[in-house]
Each structure stands twice: as structure tokens, then as C-alpha cells.
Amino acid sequence: MNFKRIASLLAWLLFAVIAYSTLSPIGMRPHIGTWVHVERFGAFGLLGLLFAGAYPGRLPLVVAIVLAAAVGFELLQMLSMDRHARWEDFAVKLAGGGCGVAAGWFIARRWPRFAHRPPRINQNSNYPG
């Protein structure tokens, strides 16, 4: 298994975990014991990082997935009786996702082995092979 496949599997798994914890009743929501904004920022940051690592050449798609997840999960909370959608929560999720995508993009640009790009060939050299 290569890096992109593992990152893709983990990204979609984390997406499902975030969906469960966002849409489940408030008493069933898992938490790590710290501020909820730190949890939201970290979860969406990791989601953005994993999606950016899984799909390094598709930055607009990655941004759309993370943005749609933040918007969709926040809007779907309005359907639940004990959950609520807030602009503040949406902003934290979006900031975390944006930071994660940016970090993933930076890693893919700096370390080409994580990106799926063919090696560059020097066209000006006299090497025949």
C-alpha cells in the first residue's frame, strides 16, 4: 500500500467519524476533554491534511470536500432536536480544514515523493539515456 492510498482510507474514515460525532445525540458525542473548538479545529485540520495527502493534484476538489463537510454537517445539525448550528462552530471547522489543506499542499510541494508527479528530466543535458 502506498502513501496516497493509506491517506485516502484514513481521510474517508475520519470523515465518517466526524459525521457520527457531529450528527449523533449530544450525550453520545465523543470528546477528548478539552475545549470543543480545539477538537473541531483539530478534526477538520486533520481531515484537510489527509485529503490533501490523498489527492495532491486535486486541490480544488479537496477544498470543496472540506468546505462541503463543514457546511453540510453544520446545517444537518439543525435537523436534530438536541444539536444546534452556530456560525462560530462553522468558522472554527472551516479554519481548521483550511489550515489542514494548506499544510497538506505544502508537504506535497516540498517533498515530491508524496505527490504523484513524474521526475523531471533535464532537456538541456547531453546524456543520451
Side-chain angles (χ1 to χ4, degrees), residues 102-123:
W105 176 81
F106 179 76
I107 289 170
R109 296 284 297 176
R110 299 308 275 163
W111 291 287
R113 68 175 171 216
F114 293 123
H116 185 45
R117 284 187 239 132
R120 293 185 181 199
I121 299 172
N122 186 353
Q123 300 294 331

Side-chain angles (χ1 to χ4, degrees), residues 7-80:
S8 175
L9 178 67
L10 291 175
W12 287 110
L13 183 65
L14 181 61
F15 185 88
V17 168
I18 291 173
Y20 169 76
S21 60
T22 301
L23 303 175
S24 65
I26 196 76
M28 296 176 61
R29 185 182 73 83
H31 56 85
I32 58 175
T34 183
W35 300 308
V36 258
H37 289 316
V38 173
E39 292 177 4
R40 290 180 184 122
F41 186 89
F44 274 84
L46 185 58
L47 184 71
L49 178 72
L50 287 172
F51 271 118
Y55 308 105
R58 298 180 176 181
L59 188 63
L61 174 69
V62 169
V63 170
I65 289 172
V66 174
L67 174 67
V71 170
F73 291 154
E74 207 58 37
L75 289 177
L76 284 171
Q77 282 186 350
M78 293 192 304
L79 299 176
S80 178

Side-chain angles (χ1 to χ4, degrees), residues 68-109:
V71 170
F73 291 154
E74 207 58 37
L75 289 177
L76 284 171
Q77 282 186 350
M78 293 192 304
L79 299 176
S80 178
M81 297 294 282
D82 62 343
R83 302 304 293 260
H84 52 275
R86 293 185 184 167
W87 284 105
E88 181 181 345
D89 298 345
F90 169 69
V92 169
K93 291 175 182 178
L94 201 57
C99 288
V101 170
W105 176 81
F106 179 76
I107 289 170
R109 296 284 297 176

